[in-house]
């Protein structure tokens, strides 16, 4: 009975965490780029050059000061490690850290936004279930499910949130884990619906697509593996985030460089959603796709090494989408000579699924998450799964030889 009540409380609070971080993120984006309606890409594109350049830098200064103050007073342990060790969560520091993640990402940092709702959801669930008579294993399951449900809430992906818990956080397909993950993620998405409006993050274009695309999904696997390997190498960090005197200027410098790059490529600020949008809508030129493919992981790495904290899920997804879009544009450029034309949106998402499968170590999650983001034709879910599993196998074989 108590575990059932805890499941309901966890799902509801994860939805609250997802809604709160979404509202805060959008508010900071609107304040940074001074726009009232539309997407972040539209806001960045319409803002004046000075605001584009200084916005991420100012946000970096404020977030950097917050992290400098926080880390001088206490350590902020990793969420997954804290849950797995059955230690009490450091609720205060984790909640503050989540707020600072929202601040830096909302002001344009090239980091994922999924870290904050996962962290805040786990903190709220931990506080709500503290007085319940739960076993250590049940508490662990609930906190992992809270984190996954928080991710599901912000992206309106109930299956994706559940699979994130099952295949990445808990790494268990036990019926108790699966059932709890599905219930909490579904509840969280429903609770956050007044804020997210259950809108798909990406709009699938109405374009024809041949079933022969399945073969291309297999052929693109080596590219996905190569892009993922590059992304992992570039964004790799060691040890805890720094807390020294260079923390604030380093994060501000990463923000300033992001702002300068946004003068030419307004898709770069933020978690990577803007890149996904233009990749699917075929709004990129070949030089722009190449520039974004190279710059997105580099800017993400700069923020991480400067000491900022944020997710890597969407930056990896965006990098993969830019790679797939670039290949599609190159193929279609030669259509008059070859007679071959490929669907840019499908190839961008297929490559993104392959990259995400490797960076998150879960082909199942990657395929379902990418499909839920755009809701393309249902048969493409199988294509994304094939691309994710094939890319993962290519990556493993390459890594073993190395």
């Amino acid at each position: 009975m108590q575990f059932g009540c805890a499941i309901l409380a966890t799902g509801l609070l994860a939805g609250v965490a997802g809604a709160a971080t979404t509202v805060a993120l959008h508010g900071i984006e609107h304040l940074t780029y001074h726009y009232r309606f539309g997407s972040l890409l539209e806001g960045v594109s319409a803002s004046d050059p000075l605001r584009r350049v200084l916005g991420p830098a100012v946000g970096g200064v404020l977030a950097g000061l917050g992290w400098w103050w926080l880390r001088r007073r206490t350590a902020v342990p990793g969420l997954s490690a804290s849950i797995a060790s059955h230690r009490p969560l450091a609720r205060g520091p984790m909640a503050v850290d989540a707020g600072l993640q929202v601040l830096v990402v909302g002001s344009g940092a090239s980091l994922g936004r999924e870290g904050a709702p996962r962290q805040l959801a786990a903190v709220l669930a931990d506080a709500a279930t503290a007085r319940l008579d739960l076993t250590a294993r049940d508490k662990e399951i609930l906190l992992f499910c809270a984190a996954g449900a928080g991710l599901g809430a912000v992206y309106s992906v109930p299956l994706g949130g559940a699979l994130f818990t099952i295949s990445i956080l808990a790494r268990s397909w036990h019926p108790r884990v699966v059932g709890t993950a599905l219930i909490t993620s579904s509840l969280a998405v429903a609770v956050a619906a007044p804020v997210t409006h259950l809108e798909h993050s990406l709009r699938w274009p109405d374009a024809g697509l041949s079933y022969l695309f399945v073969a291309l999904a297999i052929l693109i696997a080596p590219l996905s593996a190569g892009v993922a390997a590059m992304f992992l190498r570039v964004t790799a960090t060691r040890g805890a985030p720094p807390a020294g005197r260079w923390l604030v200027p380093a994060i501000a410098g990463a923000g300033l460089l992001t702002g300068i790059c946004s003068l030419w490529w307004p898709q770069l600020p933020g978690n990577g959603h803007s890149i996904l949008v233009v990749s699917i809508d075929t709004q990129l030129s070949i030089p722009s796709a190449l520039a974004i493919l190279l710059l997105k992981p580099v800017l993400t790495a700069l923020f991480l090494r400067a000491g900022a904290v944020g997710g890597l899920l969407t930056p990896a997804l965006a990098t993969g989408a830019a790679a797939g879009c670039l290949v599609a544009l190159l193929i279609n450029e030669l259509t008059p000579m070859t007679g071959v034309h490929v669907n840019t949106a499908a190839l961008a998402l297929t490559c993104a699924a392959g990259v995400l499968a490797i960076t998150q170590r879960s082909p199942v999650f990657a395929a379902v998450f990418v499909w839920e983001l755009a809701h393309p034709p249902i048969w493409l879910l199988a294509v994304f799964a094939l691309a994710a599993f094939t890319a993962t196998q290519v990556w493993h074989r390459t890594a073993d030889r190395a």
Side-chain angles (χ1 to χ4, degrees):
M1 181 66 179
Q2 291 196 45
F3 186 65
C5 293
I7 290 174
L8 294 177
T10 297
L12 294 173
L13 290 172
V16 171
T21 54
T22 299
V23 170
L25 182 79
H26 290 166
I28 295 169
E29 289 174 348
H30 285 256
L31 181 63
T32 301
Y33 294 103
H34 195 60
Y35 69 102
R36 295 182 62 186
F37 304 104
S39 65
L40 173 62
L41 178 58
E42 293 169 334
V44 175
S45 300
S47 63
D48 62 82
L50 186 61
R51 185 177 287 271
R52 276 202 217 185
V53 171
L54 295 182
V58 172
V61 169
L62 296 176
L65 287 171
W67 272 312
W68 177 80
W69 173 83
L70 178 64
R71 293 169 190 170
R72 281 175 60 88
R73 282 157 177 76
T74 183
V76 182
L79 179 60
S80 295
S82 295
I83 296 174
S85 65
H86 299 164
R87 295 195 306 265
L89 295 188
R91 297 174 194 161
M94 283 186 171
V96 173
D97 184 72
L100 294 172
Q101 290 183 45
V102 173
L103 171 59
V104 77
V105 176
S107 58
S110 179
L111 293 167
R113 64 170 176 152
E114 73 278 357
R118 285 169 44 204
Q119 211 160 285
L120 185 59
V123 166
L124 293 177
D126 182 57
T129 59
R131 295 183 180 275
L132 297 180
D133 185 19
L134 301 171
T135 66
R137 176 56 177 163
D138 282 347
K139 188 66 176 288
E140 178 185 26
I141 292 172
L142 285 170
L143 294 183
F144 277 141
C145 288
L151 180 145
V154 295
Y155 291 115
S156 296
V157 289
L159 289 178
L163 285 171
F164 188 83
T165 298
I166 295 165
S167 63
I168 296 175
L169 297 178
R171 295 184 180 277
S172 170
W173 289 88
H174 190 279
R176 197 173 183 86
V177 175
V178 174
T180 305
L182 288 171
I183 293 171
T184 53
S185 186
S186 299
L187 279 173
V189 171
V191 170
V195 172
T196 62
H197 308 294
L198 297 180
E199 293 180 350
H200 303 319
S201 294
L202 304 172
R203 295 188 182 277
W204 180 257
D206 186 14
L209 191 61
S210 168
Y211 288 98
L212 295 175
F213 184 79
V214 175
L216 188 57
I218 298 175
L219 294 176
I220 204 73
L223 173 66
S224 300
V227 171
M230 178 270 293
F231 184 89
L232 290 172
R233 182 179 294 273
V234 170
T235 58
T237 56
R238 294 181 180 178
R245 61 181 179 177
W246 293 106
L247 176 64
V248 176
I251 298 177
L256 183 64
L257 182 58
T258 300
I260 293 172
C261 291
S262 73
L263 294 174
W264 291 275
W265 301 285
Q267 304 88 355
L268 287 171
N271 65 342
H273 179 264
S274 299
I275 297 174
L276 290 168
V277 170
V278 295
S279 296
I280 289 179
D281 292 344
T282 322
Q283 297 178 16
L284 287 176
S285 63
I286 292 176
S288 293
L290 178 60
I292 289 172
L293 171 62
L294 297 175
L295 287 172
K296 189 62 179 177
V298 170
L299 293 174
T300 301
L302 286 177
F303 276 103
L304 292 174
R305 293 180 183 179
V309 177
L312 290 176
L313 193 154
T314 329
L317 200 64
T319 303
C325 181
L326 176 62
V327 171
L329 291 172
L330 290 171
I331 293 174
N332 293 339
E333 186 73 16
L334 301 175
T335 297
M337 291 183 291
T338 63
V340 177
H341 185 277
V342 297
N343 185 304
T344 304
L347 192 58
L349 287 184
T350 300
C351 191
V355 172
L356 190 64
I358 294 170
T359 57
Q360 295 294 319
R361 309 291 200 273
S362 177
V364 174
F365 163 73
V368 174
F369 182 75
V370 170
W371 185 85
E372 274 193 305
L373 283 179
H375 275 264
I378 185 65
W379 67 271
L380 276 178
L381 176 58
V383 175
F384 295 156
L386 180 62
F389 278 100
T390 306
T392 302
Q393 289 301 313
V394 171
W395 182 73
H396 279 308
R397 292 186 179 185
T398 304
D400 290 342
R401 290 176 182 175

